[in-house]
Amino acid sequence: MITDSTKPVLTPNGEVAVIEPAPPFDPRKLVRNAKAIFLTILKYWWLLGLCIILGGVGGWIYDQVNEVPDQYEASIVFNLETGSGGSELSSFASALGMSSGGSNGNIFAGANFTELFRSKKIGNRVMTTPVTIAGKRDLLVNFYKNRSGALRRTKNAEYLRNEFTFPDTSLKYYTTTQMSYLDMFREYASQDLEIGNLDRKSSFMELTVKTDSDTLSKIMVETWLKTMTSFYTETRSQKTLELLQLHTSRRDSVLSILSGEERKLARAQDYSQYMIMPSGRVNEQRMSQNTTYLQGLYMDALRNIDALRTSLIRESPLVTIIDEPTYPLPVTPYPRGKAIKIGIALGIVLSFVMMFLITTYQNMMKKLQE
């Protein structure tokens, strides 16, 4: 009787074949396979031990080469409230025939803000900021060079540690070598820096720096945020400061002319007391009109200056520190022994693979001899 499991089928060669049903599960075969594996491990126990020893030694050597001191992490959580002085500036824009419409890119919004922290402009300002650590005042880049662990990443660590230092002067006086080393350490510091939102639903941001020194980590994260805040204020207030300077110069000019016109008017009024003909008062009336007009210009200039100063206050960002770093800082120790464990595990896997290859090769040779 032909069942579904033994139903004849047509092969690609045109022959009729019968599909045999799969044999039932035999637990004895599983036991024999497990026994064969166990006997193979006993036979090549020396290979397993050798691979375990080599893996452990390799992991120990990796730890000795790559081990670093404990890393101290300083984090500061802050909220940046941006100011706006558009209401005061809109009157100046309309008076000058300027339109306030249009859209401009904002470097302090979204991903631009986080990338700005790692930019060359901000990084150079941070690294060349004078700070005081343990009673010694020096540039932050010199402390970072000697205490952050950055010298482990360089090939000329001995020279940089003992003979090289960054001078406390303007960057335009730096030599090519000094600028190249400054760029190198700034890049290292940017790699140690992490900036991002504390939570997706929150506007709070977290700035984190991790170095070999707890003091250096704390000072770096505070200096970085302070420098960024100053840069924000300078950038957002640049146009307002230019308008303030323009209106201040205009106020001084109008005041100088107004003072001269008032002196002329006072002399004309003194002379007019002795004049009989009314025609003699024409010049006095003209001077009075000029003085009144200049007084109006002067008062407008004062109002504009007051409005611009108010706008500067509103444009200044309010940085609210939510959580600041305090001692003792969180420590991230080097995972000692992890590489040894990984090496031993890789040694065991490698020994099993080698046992399988050796056994397979021996079985093939036996079949060929038979």
Side-chain angles (χ1 to χ4, degrees), residues 193-323:
L193 175 75
E194 293 183 6
I195 174 68
N197 288 93
L198 187 63
D199 187 79
R200 292 184 178 180
K201 299 181 180 180
S202 173
S203 62
F204 296 163
M205 303 198 71
E206 183 178 24
L207 181 66
T208 303
V209 173
K210 186 184 295 185
T211 66
D212 292 359
S213 170
D214 55 348
T215 306
L216 179 62
S217 297
K218 184 176 184 297
I219 290 181
M220 279 196 66
V221 74
E222 294 173 345
T223 305
W224 218 299
L225 180 59
K226 182 178 179 181
T227 303
M228 187 66 185
T229 304
S230 300
F231 178 75
Y232 181 94
T233 304
E234 294 173 7
T235 305
R236 294 299 296 268
S237 305
Q238 181 178 0
K239 293 182 180 180
T240 307
L241 288 173
E242 292 176 356
L243 285 174
L244 179 61
Q245 184 178 2
L246 175 63
H247 283 274
T248 302
S249 300
R250 182 180 180 183
R251 178 204 61 187
D252 296 340
S253 299
V254 172
L255 180 60
S256 177
I257 298 175
L258 177 61
S259 299
E261 289 296 325
E262 287 177 342
R263 287 193 295 269
K264 292 180 181 179
L265 177 61
R267 287 195 297 267
Q269 289 175 346
D270 291 339
Y271 294 152
S272 64
Q273 296 178 1
Y274 304 101
M275 293 182 182
I276 300 177
M277 301 297 295
S279 59
R281 297 182 178 270
V282 174
N283 290 333
E284 180 184 347
Q285 293 176 355
R286 290 178 179 176
M287 292 181 184
S288 178
Q289 292 176 355
N290 292 338
T291 302
T292 303
Y293 175 71
L294 291 172
Q295 288 175 346
L297 292 180
Y298 180 73
M299 295 305 299
D300 288 340
L302 290 180
R303 284 193 293 268
N304 291 340
I305 290 174
D306 290 339
L308 286 169
R309 287 174 176 171
T310 304
S311 179
L312 280 175
I313 297 175
R314 293 186 177 184
E315 288 177 355
S316 301
L318 176 61
V319 179
T320 305
I321 306 298
I322 308 300
D323 188 11

Side-chain angles (χ1 to χ4, degrees), residues 53-67 334 339-340:
I53 293 174
L54 291 178
V57 172
W60 180 81
I61 294 175
Y62 179 88
D63 276 344
Q64 297 302 313
V65 174
N66 297 277
E67 185 177 3
Y334 180 79
I340 298 178

Side-chain angles (χ1 to χ4, degrees), residues 123-140:
N124 285 344
R125 285 192 180 190
V126 172
M127 301 306 285
T128 55
T129 301
V131 296
T132 302
I133 297 180
K136 180 181 179 182
R137 185 173 179 82
D138 202 348
L139 297 182
L140 181 59

Side-chain angles (χ1 to χ4, degrees), residues 55-110:
V57 172
W60 180 81
I61 294 175
Y62 179 88
D63 276 344
Q64 297 302 313
V65 174
N66 297 277
E67 185 177 3
V68 296
D70 296 343
Q71 299 293 294
Y72 294 89
E73 181 179 303
S75 299
I76 185 169
V77 180
F78 64 96
N79 183 53
L80 179 63
E81 298 179 13
T82 59
S84 175
S87 58
E88 289 82 2
L89 293 178
S90 59
S91 59
F92 304 136
S94 60
L96 297 175
M98 299 169 58
S99 175
S100 59
S103 60
N104 295 317
N106 187 357
I107 63 175
F108 299 100

